[in-house]
Amino acid sequence: MSNATPSNRGPSQSRIKRGFWSSRMAFVLAATGSAVGLGNIWKFPYITGENGGGAFVLVYLLCIAAVGLPIMMAEVLIGRRGGASPINSVRAIAKRDGHNPAWRLAAGLGVLTAFLILSFYSVIGGWAVSYVGTAATGQLAGQSADAIGEIFSGLLGSPWTLLMWHTLFMGLVMLVVARGLRKGLERAVTILMPALFVLLLVVVAYSMTTGYFGQGVAFLFSPDFSKLTTEGVLVALGHAFFTLSLGMAVMIAYGSYLSKDVSIAKTSILVSLMDTGVALLAGLAIFPIVFANGLEPGAGPGLIFQTLPLAFGAMPMGSLFATLFFVLLTFAAWTSGISLLEPLVEWLEEQKGLNRMVSTIGAGGLCWLLGVASILSLNLWSDVTPLGMFAMFEGKTIFDLLDFFTASVFLPLGGLLVAIFVGWIMTRQALQDELAMGSGTFSLWYNTLRYFTPVAVLVVFVYNLV
Ligand code: PFF
């Protein structure tokens, strides 16, 4: 990112010196670094498995194209127009155009959601870090599915081990955020994202040799609508937001560093395509291994930690590839974790006048503490179900509840508010200025955002909550 002082942007209330991404590619990589993470490689395969495969994938792809992409463009647009941290960007735009500055609360909801997500995201990030060690010491090589299952349940059963890895992961996130993400992030994603892609291709190539590739492809791509539930549709919608890092003010924050001459539409399409590509590759890598080893596609959150080690264990130089893979997964999770902490830290700096170091320690420390509740729900508190009295939440631990409320409730709600703010509150002229698209494509985006997106989110929401 260059240190150029912004001159051609909307009002900024920022007291910090702001800069721009050094190039369009830097923004694309940083946004992709945020989007591509555990959501693609850990969550997408296991929720696809739990929701029956093809039909779920189809709904998910539709949600990305018709809901996710228009909202991503809207978020980047708010950031670039506002030129400040998410909450202040929204406030600046609302104030300038004579609207209620309370709209900033919508961005506030996003910042809070990001904070809640990071608390458990860091615990899963910790799993990835711990598997780097497990793989590097050769513990996964040549093991049976049962033995690998035991390694995983052993990890979940030890709160102290989980705490150690969670602490390490959160520490890594705080380290980059405290230094200012401009320094390390751009360089890291430039190398790591392509490397992750290549390693995924290696696992897909292995999957092709299992003899079950066709079955994996069929599971992912032939829709059987009898397996799709309305909850599945909600999960798909929530995941579209989660995987693209939407509804959480992250893209607003990153958009605020984007220079005027970059096309918001093109870059958003590129980021969405790369994110979807990684998720589908992860599915293609994992499901053939699941079927080849008689595993259960609906095994839940442990899915990749039980399937991928099997694949690597059976390959020549498997320990090396496994180690590399988990290193890259850790990096993917790291770049996403950074983007989850950034909006709150930015806000604390701007609004409370704290310096970056203090803001990072305060926000990261609190998030770490909340993560402890998620760790305990995997073992000592596995019977604690705070909302268990409601049928809908029966058996859901604190971890499950955090996941449900953030991914399935707050994210779609945050996205809905963004769609309404940009589609109905901001002036059409402002949007046209920022997007600089042909009138046909502009109208397509505008109408999708105004009508289709809010209605789709509301329908799915209401259907599930009543
Ligand atoms: N998109 C990330 C993933 O798929 O793992 C998770 C994430 C990062 C969600 C940043 C939200 C966010 F703001």
Side-chain angles (χ1 to χ4, degrees):
M1 182 174 280
S2 74
N3 284 326
T5 314
S7 54
N8 55 345
R9 50 191 343 150
S12 163
Q13 306 191 333
S14 167
R15 278 179 249 148
I16 335 165
K17 191 171 174 207
R18 302 181 64 84
F20 290 120
W21 298 109
S22 54
S23 65
R24 177 180 102 108
M25 209 48 207
F27 168 79
V28 170
L29 285 169
T32 308
S34 170
V36 173
L38 295 168
N40 306 63
I41 298 167
W42 162 72
K43 197 169 182 187
F44 171 73
Y46 97 74
I47 56 177
T48 299
E50 284 181 341
N51 288 286
F56 175 84
V57 174
L58 195 68
V59 174
Y60 161 78
L61 291 176
L62 269 176
C63 290
I64 294 275
V67 181
L69 180 62
I71 292 190
M72 183 183 290
M73 290 169 58
E75 288 200 11
V76 176
L77 185 156
I78 295 177
R80 187 163 77 181
R81 189 108 191 132
S85 75
I87 297 179
N88 284 331
S89 282
V90 172
R91 200 207 339 234
I93 294 172
K95 238 177 148 179
R96 185 174 40 168
D97 294 344
H99 302 297
N100 192 339
W103 271 102
R104 72 183 189 282
L105 296 178
L109 173 74
V111 174
L112 173 72
T113 310
F115 173 82
L116 294 177
I117 289 185
L118 181 59
S119 76
F120 68 85
Y121 199 84
S122 165
V123 175
I124 321 283
W127 300 357
V129 186
S130 100
Y131 267 67
V132 174
T134 314
T137 49
Q139 293 174 54
L140 301 173
Q143 297 281 18
S144 66
D146 284 347
I148 281 177
E150 272 164 33
I151 294 179
F152 184 67
S153 42
L155 174 67
L156 296 202
S158 3
W160 287 109
T161 315
L162 289 173
L163 184 67
M164 177 175 86
W165 297 119
H166 163 56
T167 308
L168 182 64
F169 185 85
M170 192 65 91
L172 286 171
V173 167
M174 288 165 66
L175 199 73
V176 177
V177 175
R179 299 187 65 214
L181 68 159
R182 296 140 223 195
K183 294 214 178 86
L185 191 70
E186 269 192 43
R187 209 168 325 139
V189 284
T190 317
I191 303 165
L192 297 172
M193 287 300 131
L196 180 68
F197 207 72
V198 171
L199 259 184
L200 267 179
L201 286 177
V202 171
V203 191
V204 173
Y206 167 79
S207 282
M208 287 176 173
T209 68
T210 58
Y212 285 80
F213 194 69
Q215 204 173 327
V217 172
F219 182 74
L220 275 177
F221 298 112
S222 25
D224 172 357
F225 285 96
S226 68
K227 291 194 183 143
L228 189 67
T229 59
T230 53
E231 198 196 332
V233 178
L234 183 66
V235 172
L237 180 72
H239 189 62
F241 284 102
F242 185 88
T243 192
L244 294 177
S245 301
L246 301 176
M248 254 164 299
V250 169
M251 292 297 163
I252 303 183
Y254 281 13
S256 72
Y257 301 117
L258 191 65
S259 68
K260 275 277 189 209
D261 48 349
V262 172
S263 155
I264 291 180
K266 281 190 198 142
T267 43
S268 302
I269 291 173
L270 203 58
V271 173
S272 308
L273 279 179
M274 290 203 272
D275 186 76
T276 309
V278 172
L280 293 179
L281 269 184
L284 284 176
I286 286 158
F287 287 110
I289 301 169
V290 169
F291 296 125
N293 290 282
L295 298 168
E296 201 25 72
L303 189 66
I304 65 158
F305 294 94
Q306 300 182 26
T307 52
L308 292 180
L310 272 176
F312 290 121
M315 276 182 212
M317 297 202 301
S319 291
L320 178 70
F321 279 128
T323 310
L324 259 178
F325 183 84
F326 285 110
V327 167
L328 289 173
L329 184 62
T330 301
F331 275 115
W334 191 12
T335 50
S336 300
I338 291 165
S339 71
L340 283 165
L341 190 57
E342 175 68 15
L344 182 58
V345 168
E346 219 181 328
W347 181 76
L348 285 173
E349 273 186 302
E350 273 183 16
Q351 208 60 29
K352 303 286 168 209
L354 300 174
N355 71 32
R356 188 157 259 267
M357 182 63 93
V358 174
S359 313
T360 306
I361 293 176
L366 260 183
C367 202
W368 173 85
L369 198 63
L370 187 60
V372 175
S374 289
I375 288 182
L376 292 173
S377 25
L378 296 169
N379 36 68
L380 302 178
W381 291 358
S382 58
D383 293 334
V384 178
T385 54
L387 298 179
M389 60 281 217
F390 303 105
M392 187 176 174
F393 300 121
E394 216 182 301
K396 283 205 190 310
T397 61
I398 298 178
F399 185 113
D400 299 332
L401 289 174
L402 273 171
D403 182 23
F404 176 80
F405 277 105
T406 51
S408 299
V409 181
F410 292 174
L411 294 190
L413 190 64
L416 181 67
L417 292 174
V418 167
I420 296 174
F421 181 70
V422 174
W424 294 90
I425 306 289
M426 284 181 72
T427 60
R428 194 185 166 112
Q429 189 56 49
L431 307 180
Q432 274 168 332
D433 278 358
E434 287 298 331
L435 292 179
M437 299 197 288
S439 64
T441 38
F442 177 83
S443 295
L444 179 65
W445 169 79
Y446 194 49
N447 290 320
T448 310
L449 192 76
R450 276 165 74 88
Y451 303 105
F452 183 79
T453 308
V455 171
V457 173
L458 271 177
V459 167
V460 177
F461 230 0
V462 171
Y463 207 89
N464 273 279
L465 295 182
V466 293

